[in-house]
Every structure is written in structure tokens, then in C-alpha cells.
PDB file of all heavy atoms in Angstrom:
ATOM      1  N   ALA A 184    -106.351  15.726  19.029  1.00 97.00           N
ATOM      2  CA  ALA A 184    -107.323  15.471  17.969  1.00 97.00           C
ATOM      3  C   ALA A 184    -106.993  14.191  17.202  1.00 97.00           C
ATOM      4  O   ALA A 184    -105.828  13.879  16.953  1.00 97.00           O
ATOM      5  CB  ALA A 184    -107.362  16.657  17.025  1.00 97.00           C
ATOM      6  N   ARG A 185    -108.014  13.454  16.861  1.00 96.00           N
ATOM      7  CA  ARG A 185    -107.879  12.205  16.120  1.00 96.00           C
ATOM      8  C   ARG A 185    -108.297  12.406  14.670  1.00 96.00           C
ATOM      9  O   ARG A 185    -109.021  13.339  14.333  1.00 96.00           O
ATOM     10  CB  ARG A 185    -108.747  11.111  16.762  1.00 96.00           C
ATOM     11  CG  ARG A 185    -108.336  10.749  18.185  1.00 96.00           C
ATOM     12  CD  ARG A 185    -106.895  10.268  18.226  1.00 96.00           C
ATOM     13  NE  ARG A 185    -106.526   9.649  19.479  1.00 96.00           N
ATOM     14  CZ  ARG A 185    -105.701  10.165  20.373  1.00 96.00           C
ATOM     15  NH1 ARG A 185    -105.175  11.362  20.166  1.00 96.00           N
ATOM     16  NH2 ARG A 185    -105.395   9.511  21.471  1.00 96.00           N
ATOM     17  N   GLY A 186    -107.859  11.487  13.809  1.00 96.00           N
ATOM     18  CA  GLY A 186    -108.245  11.551  12.407  1.00 96.00           C
ATOM     19  C   GLY A 186    -109.735  11.312  12.237  1.00 96.00           C
ATOM     20  O   GLY A 186    -110.366  10.616  13.035  1.00 96.00           O
ATOM     21  N   GLN A 187    -110.296  11.880  11.184  1.00 96.00           N
ATOM     22  CA  GLN A 187    -111.727  11.767  10.964  1.00 96.00           C
ATOM     23  C   GLN A 187    -112.175  10.334  10.689  1.00 96.00           C
ATOM     24  O   GLN A 187    -113.342   9.992  10.886  1.00 96.00           O
ATOM     25  CB  GLN A 187    -112.149  12.674   9.809  1.00 96.00           C
ATOM     26  CG  GLN A 187    -111.978  14.155  10.113  1.00 96.00           C
ATOM     27  CD  GLN A 187    -112.405  15.047   8.969  1.00 96.00           C
ATOM     28  OE1 GLN A 187    -113.270  14.689   8.175  1.00 96.00           O
ATOM     29  NE2 GLN A 187    -111.790  16.221   8.869  1.00 96.00           N
ATOM     30  N   ASP A 188    -111.256   9.489  10.261  1.00 97.00           N
ATOM     31  CA  ASP A 188    -111.620   8.097   9.977  1.00 97.00           C
ATOM     32  C   ASP A 188    -111.536   7.202  11.213  1.00 97.00           C
ATOM     33  O   ASP A 188    -111.897   6.021  11.154  1.00 97.00           O
ATOM     34  CB  ASP A 188    -110.734   7.528   8.872  1.00 97.00           C
ATOM     35  CG  ASP A 188    -109.249   7.594   9.208  1.00 97.00           C
ATOM     36  OD1 ASP A 188    -108.879   8.361  10.126  1.00 97.00           O
ATOM     37  OD2 ASP A 188    -108.459   6.899   8.537  1.00 97.00           O
ATOM     38  N   GLU A 189    -111.086   7.751  12.332  1.00 97.00           N
ATOM     39  CA  GLU A 189    -110.992   6.966  13.560  1.00 97.00           C
ATOM     40  C   GLU A 189    -112.316   6.989  14.318  1.00 97.00           C
ATOM     41  O   GLU A 189    -113.061   7.962  14.274  1.00 97.00           O
ATOM     42  CB  GLU A 189    -109.879   7.504  14.459  1.00 97.00           C
ATOM     43  CG  GLU A 189    -108.483   7.340  13.875  1.00 97.00           C
ATOM     44  CD  GLU A 189    -107.406   7.738  14.861  1.00 97.00           C
ATOM     45  OE1 GLU A 189    -107.520   7.340  16.041  1.00 97.00           O
ATOM     46  OE2 GLU A 189    -106.481   8.456  14.465  1.00 97.00           O
ATOM     47  N   LYS A 190    -112.581   5.907  15.027  1.00 98.00           N
ATOM     48  CA  LYS A 190    -113.788   5.802  15.847  1.00 98.00           C
ATOM     49  C   LYS A 190    -113.426   6.011  17.320  1.00 98.00           C
ATOM     50  O   LYS A 190    -112.368   5.578  17.786  1.00 98.00           O
ATOM     51  CB  LYS A 190    -114.433   4.415  15.688  1.00 98.00           C
ATOM     52  CG  LYS A 190    -114.804   4.051  14.262  1.00 98.00           C
ATOM     53  CD  LYS A 190    -115.970   4.879  13.753  1.00 98.00           C
ATOM     54  CE  LYS A 190    -116.413   4.390  12.371  1.00 98.00           C
ATOM     55  NZ  LYS A 190    -117.515   5.233  11.830  1.00 98.00           N
ATOM     56  N   LEU A 191    -114.323   6.663  18.035  1.00 98.00           N
ATOM     57  CA  LEU A 191    -114.181   6.821  19.476  1.00 98.00           C
ATOM     58  C   LEU A 191    -115.442   6.282  20.152  1.00 98.00           C
ATOM     59  O   LEU A 191    -116.535   6.335  19.579  1.00 98.00           O
ATOM     60  CB  LEU A 191    -113.996   8.284  19.858  1.00 98.00           C
ATOM     61  CG  LEU A 191    -112.664   8.953  19.521  1.00 98.00           C
ATOM     62  CD1 LEU A 191    -112.670  10.390  20.020  1.00 98.00           C
ATOM     63  CD2 LEU A 191    -111.491   8.191  20.115  1.00 98.00           C
ATOM     64  N   VAL A 192    -115.262   5.794  21.376  1.00 98.00           N
ATOM     65  CA  VAL A 192    -116.387   5.257  22.137  1.00 98.00           C
ATOM     66  C   VAL A 192    -116.521   6.028  23.433  1.00 98.00           C
ATOM     67  O   VAL A 192    -115.544   6.224  24.165  1.00 98.00           O
ATOM     68  CB  VAL A 192    -116.197   3.759  22.442  1.00 98.00           C
ATOM     69  CG1 VAL A 192    -117.379   3.225  23.253  1.00 98.00           C
ATOM     70  CG2 VAL A 192    -116.039   2.955  21.157  1.00 98.00           C
ATOM     71  N   ILE A 193    -117.748   6.478  23.715  1.00 98.00           N
ATOM     72  CA  ILE A 193    -118.044   7.140  24.975  1.00 98.00           C
ATOM     73  C   ILE A 193    -119.370   6.587  25.486  1.00 98.00           C
ATOM     74  O   ILE A 193    -120.390   6.639  24.802  1.00 98.00           O
ATOM     75  CB  ILE A 193    -118.081   8.681  24.820  1.00 98.00           C
ATOM     76  CG1 ILE A 193    -118.348   9.350  26.168  1.00 98.00           C
ATOM     77  CG2 ILE A 193    -119.073   9.129  23.747  1.00 98.00           C
ATOM     78  CD1 ILE A 193    -118.103  10.853  26.166  1.00 98.00           C
ATOM     79  N   ASN A 194    -119.331   5.991  26.665  1.00 98.00           N
ATOM     80  CA  ASN A 194    -120.531   5.379  27.263  1.00 98.00           C
ATOM     81  C   ASN A 194    -121.284   4.493  26.267  1.00 98.00           C
ATOM     82  O   ASN A 194    -122.504   4.596  26.095  1.00 98.00           O
ATOM     83  CB  ASN A 194    -121.454   6.460  27.833  1.00 98.00           C
ATOM     84  CG  ASN A 194    -120.960   6.982  29.166  1.00 98.00           C
ATOM     85  OD1 ASN A 194    -120.103   6.381  29.813  1.00 98.00           O
ATOM     86  ND2 ASN A 194    -121.490   8.124  29.583  1.00 98.00           N
ATOM     87  N   ASN A 195    -120.522   3.634  25.585  1.00 97.00           N
ATOM     88  CA  ASN A 195    -121.053   2.646  24.634  1.00 97.00           C
ATOM     89  C   ASN A 195    -121.587   3.252  23.340  1.00 97.00           C
ATOM     90  O   ASN A 195    -122.169   2.527  22.516  1.00 97.00           O
ATOM     91  CB  ASN A 195    -122.148   1.789  25.279  1.00 97.00           C
ATOM     92  CG  ASN A 195    -121.637   0.984  26.455  1.00 97.00           C
ATOM     93  OD1 ASN A 195    -120.551   0.393  26.381  1.00 97.00           O
ATOM     94  ND2 ASN A 195    -122.378   0.971  27.557  1.00 97.00           N
ATOM     95  N   HIS A 196    -121.374   4.512  23.107  1.00 98.00           N
ATOM     96  CA  HIS A 196    -121.735   5.143  21.840  1.00 98.00           C
ATOM     97  C   HIS A 196    -120.483   5.209  20.961  1.00 98.00           C
ATOM     98  O   HIS A 196    -119.455   5.752  21.389  1.00 98.00           O
ATOM     99  CB  HIS A 196    -122.279   6.550  22.065  1.00 98.00           C
ATOM    100  CG  HIS A 196    -123.564   6.591  22.826  1.00 98.00           C
ATOM    101  ND1 HIS A 196    -124.792   6.534  22.214  1.00 98.00           N
ATOM    102  CD2 HIS A 196    -123.806   6.694  24.158  1.00 98.00           C
ATOM    103  CE1 HIS A 196    -125.746   6.608  23.128  1.00 98.00           C
ATOM    104  NE2 HIS A 196    -125.171   6.694  24.322  1.00 98.00           N
ATOM    105  N   VAL A 197    -120.560   4.689  19.767  1.00 98.00           N
ATOM    106  CA  VAL A 197    -119.436   4.697  18.836  1.00 98.00           C
ATOM    107  C   VAL A 197    -119.600   5.895  17.895  1.00 98.00           C
ATOM    108  O   VAL A 197    -120.632   6.029  17.226  1.00 98.00           O
ATOM    109  CB  VAL A 197    -119.366   3.390  18.030  1.00 98.00           C
ATOM    110  CG1 VAL A 197    -118.165   3.431  17.074  1.00 98.00           C
ATOM    111  CG2 VAL A 197    -119.267   2.192  18.970  1.00 98.00           C
ATOM    112  N   LEU A 198    -118.564   6.738  17.840  1.00 98.00           N
ATOM    113  CA  LEU A 198    -118.650   7.966  17.061  1.00 98.00           C
ATOM    114  C   LEU A 198    -117.570   8.036  16.002  1.00 98.00           C
ATOM    115  O   LEU A 198    -116.411   7.711  16.263  1.00 98.00           O
ATOM    116  CB  LEU A 198    -118.495   9.185  17.987  1.00 98.00           C
ATOM    117  CG  LEU A 198    -119.462   9.306  19.162  1.00 98.00           C
ATOM    118  CD1 LEU A 198    -119.080  10.504  20.017  1.00 98.00           C
ATOM    119  CD2 LEU A 198    -120.889   9.436  18.659  1.00 98.00           C
ATOM    120  N   GLY A 199    -117.961   8.472  14.822  1.00 98.00           N
ATOM    121  CA  GLY A 199    -116.995   8.768  13.784  1.00 98.00           C
ATOM    122  C   GLY A 199    -116.552  10.218  13.881  1.00 98.00           C
ATOM    123  O   GLY A 199    -117.073  10.996  14.690  1.00 98.00           O
ATOM    124  N   GLY A 200    -115.588  10.580  13.047  1.00 98.00           N
ATOM    125  CA  GLY A 200    -115.070  11.933  13.070  1.00 98.00           C
ATOM    126  C   GLY A 200    -115.649  12.778  11.951  1.00 98.00           C
ATOM    127  O   GLY A 200    -116.181  12.275  10.963  1.00 98.00           O
ATOM    128  N   ALA A 201    -115.570  14.076  12.125  1.00 98.00           N
ATOM    129  CA  ALA A 201    -115.992  15.029  11.108  1.00 98.00           C
ATOM    130  C   ALA A 201    -115.126  16.278  11.240  1.00 98.00           C
ATOM    131  O   ALA A 201    -114.473  16.503  12.265  1.00 98.00           O
ATOM    132  CB  ALA A 201    -117.467  15.386  11.267  1.00 98.00           C
ATOM    133  N   ARG A 202    -115.141  17.099  10.193  1.00 98.00           N
ATOM    134  CA  ARG A 202    -114.360  18.325  10.229  1.00 98.00           C
ATOM    135  C   ARG A 202    -115.033  19.388  11.077  1.00 98.00           C
ATOM    136  O   ARG A 202    -114.390  20.094  11.839  1.00 98.00           O
ATOM    137  CB  ARG A 202    -114.154  18.846   8.805  1.00 98.00           C
ATOM    138  CG  ARG A 202    -113.260  20.085   8.703  1.00 98.00           C
ATOM    139  CD  ARG A 202    -113.179  20.568   7.252  1.00 98.00           C
ATOM    140  NE  ARG A 202    -114.484  21.017   6.793  1.00 98.00           N
ATOM    141  CZ  ARG A 202    -114.959  22.256   6.966  1.00 98.00           C
ATOM    142  NH1 ARG A 202    -114.226  23.159   7.600  1.00 98.00           N
ATOM    143  NH2 ARG A 202    -116.144  22.580   6.513  1.00 98.00           N
ATOM    144  N   THR A 203    -116.379  19.502  10.945  1.00 98.00           N
ATOM    145  CA  THR A 203    -117.119  20.511  11.693  1.00 98.00           C
ATOM    146  C   THR A 203    -118.579  20.096  11.812  1.00 98.00           C
ATOM    147  O   THR A 203    -118.996  19.070  11.259  1.00 98.00           O
ATOM    148  CB  THR A 203    -117.000  21.900  11.022  1.00 98.00           C
ATOM    149  OG1 THR A 203    -117.531  22.896  11.907  1.00 98.00           O
ATOM    150  CG2 THR A 203    -117.705  21.944   9.688  1.00 98.00           C
ATOM    151  N   PHE A 204    -119.363  20.862  12.515  1.00 98.00           N
ATOM    152  CA  PHE A 204    -120.736  20.509  12.866  1.00 98.00           C
ATOM    153  C   PHE A 204    -121.609  20.266  11.642  1.00 98.00           C
ATOM    154  O   PHE A 204    -122.359  19.297  11.568  1.00 98.00           O
ATOM    155  CB  PHE A 204    -121.350  21.619  13.730  1.00 98.00           C
ATOM    156  CG  PHE A 204    -120.666  21.791  15.054  1.00 98.00           C
ATOM    157  CD1 PHE A 204    -119.496  22.542  15.160  1.00 98.00           C
ATOM    158  CD2 PHE A 204    -121.167  21.203  16.198  1.00 98.00           C
ATOM    159  CE1 PHE A 204    -118.862  22.691  16.376  1.00 98.00           C
ATOM    160  CE2 PHE A 204    -120.541  21.346  17.426  1.00 98.00           C
ATOM    161  CZ  PHE A 204    -119.381  22.090  17.515  1.00 98.00           C
ATOM    162  N   SER A 205    -121.524  21.149  10.668  1.00 97.00           N
ATOM    163  CA  SER A 205    -122.418  21.048   9.511  1.00 97.00           C
ATOM    164  C   SER A 205    -122.099  19.873   8.599  1.00 97.00           C
ATOM    165  O   SER A 205    -122.844  19.608   7.655  1.00 97.00           O
ATOM    166  CB  SER A 205    -122.372  22.351   8.702  1.00 97.00           C
ATOM    167  OG  SER A 205    -121.052  22.618   8.247  1.00 97.00           O
ATOM    168  N   ASP A 206    -121.015  19.161   8.887  1.00 98.00           N
ATOM    169  CA  ASP A 206    -120.678  17.983   8.078  1.00 98.00           C
ATOM    170  C   ASP A 206    -121.472  16.746   8.491  1.00 98.00           C
ATOM    171  O   ASP A 206    -121.356  15.700   7.846  1.00 98.00           O
ATOM    172  CB  ASP A 206    -119.176  17.681   8.171  1.00 98.00           C
ATOM    173  CG  ASP A 206    -118.330  18.714   7.445  1.00 98.00           C
ATOM    174  OD1 ASP A 206    -118.901  19.502   6.656  1.00 98.00           O
ATOM    175  OD2 ASP A 206    -117.101  18.757   7.665  1.00 98.00           O
ATOM    176  N   VAL A 207    -122.240  16.843   9.564  1.00 98.00           N
ATOM    177  CA  VAL A 207    -123.092  15.721   9.981  1.00 98.00           C
ATOM    178  C   VAL A 207    -124.530  16.227  10.095  1.00 98.00           C
ATOM    179  O   VAL A 207    -124.793  17.425  10.166  1.00 98.00           O
ATOM    180  CB  VAL A 207    -122.626  15.116  11.325  1.00 98.00           C
ATOM    181  CG1 VAL A 207    -121.171  14.665  11.241  1.00 98.00           C
ATOM    182  CG2 VAL A 207    -122.804  16.107  12.466  1.00 98.00           C
ATOM    183  N   HIS A 208    -125.461  15.297  10.117  1.00 98.00           N
ATOM    184  CA  HIS A 208    -126.876  15.662  10.206  1.00 98.00           C
ATOM    185  C   HIS A 208    -127.208  16.191  11.602  1.00 98.00           C
ATOM    186  O   HIS A 208    -126.596  15.785  12.595  1.00 98.00           O
ATOM    187  CB  HIS A 208    -127.758  14.454   9.903  1.00 98.00           C
ATOM    188  CG  HIS A 208    -127.630  13.942   8.499  1.00 98.00           C
ATOM    189  ND1 HIS A 208    -128.011  14.683   7.406  1.00 98.00           N
ATOM    190  CD2 HIS A 208    -127.172  12.752   8.023  1.00 98.00           C
ATOM    191  CE1 HIS A 208    -127.795  13.987   6.312  1.00 98.00           C
ATOM    192  NE2 HIS A 208    -127.274  12.811   6.655  1.00 98.00           N
ATOM    193  N   PRO A 209    -128.198  17.099  11.698  1.00 98.00           N
ATOM    194  CA  PRO A 209    -128.644  17.547  13.016  1.00 98.00           C
ATOM    195  C   PRO A 209    -129.029  16.364  13.904  1.00 98.00           C
ATOM    196  O   PRO A 209    -129.692  15.430  13.455  1.00 98.00           O
ATOM    197  CB  PRO A 209    -129.864  18.420  12.695  1.00 98.00           C
ATOM    198  CG  PRO A 209    -129.589  18.948  11.328  1.00 98.00           C
ATOM    199  CD  PRO A 209    -128.911  17.806  10.610  1.00 98.00           C
ATOM    200  N   GLY A 210    -128.552  16.386  15.129  1.00 98.00           N
ATOM    201  CA  GLY A 210    -128.824  15.307  16.068  1.00 98.00           C
ATOM    202  C   GLY A 210    -127.776  14.212  16.080  1.00 98.00           C
ATOM    203  O   GLY A 210    -127.802  13.359  16.972  1.00 98.00           O
ATOM    204  N   ASP A 211    -126.853  14.224  15.102  1.00 98.00           N
ATOM    205  CA  ASP A 211    -125.810  13.196  15.038  1.00 98.00           C
ATOM    206  C   ASP A 211    -124.608  13.609  15.891  1.00 98.00           C
ATOM    207  O   ASP A 211    -124.212  14.776  15.916  1.00 98.00           O
ATOM    208  CB  ASP A 211    -125.348  12.969  13.611  1.00 98.00           C
ATOM    209  CG  ASP A 211    -126.338  12.160  12.801  1.00 98.00           C
ATOM    210  OD1 ASP A 211    -127.333  11.679  13.380  1.00 98.00           O
ATOM    211  OD2 ASP A 211    -126.126  12.018  11.578  1.00 98.00           O
ATOM    212  N   GLY A 212    -124.004  12.620  16.549  1.00 98.00           N
ATOM    213  CA  GLY A 212    -122.804  12.853  17.332  1.00 98.00           C
ATOM    214  C   GLY A 212    -121.555  12.561  16.527  1.00 98.00           C
ATOM    215  O   GLY A 212    -121.586  11.747  15.584  1.00 98.00           O
TER     216      GLY A 212
END
């Protein structure tokens, strides 16, 4: 597991971290 402030890239999509699903908007990765 990475820190929530770290970014990850998968197939050119840049993603931030979160604690759990409800911490981001529906449809957000």
C-alpha cells in the first residue's frame, strides 16, 4: 500500500490515493 498523497499511473491514468471508496466521488478512480 502507498500513501494517500502518492500518485500512481495505470494505462496513462494518473490516480491519487484515498482511505476508502466513499472518500471520492462516484465514478472517480
Side-chain angles (χ1 to χ4, degrees):
R185 297 301 192 250
Q187 294 180 28
D188 58 343
E189 294 187 44
K190 302 290 186 183
L191 288 182
V192 179
I193 182 167
N194 282 345
N195 298 316
H196 295 270
V197 181
L198 304 175
R202 184 183 65 87
T203 190
F204 296 82
S205 59
D206 289 346
V207 303
H208 295 295
D211 284 354

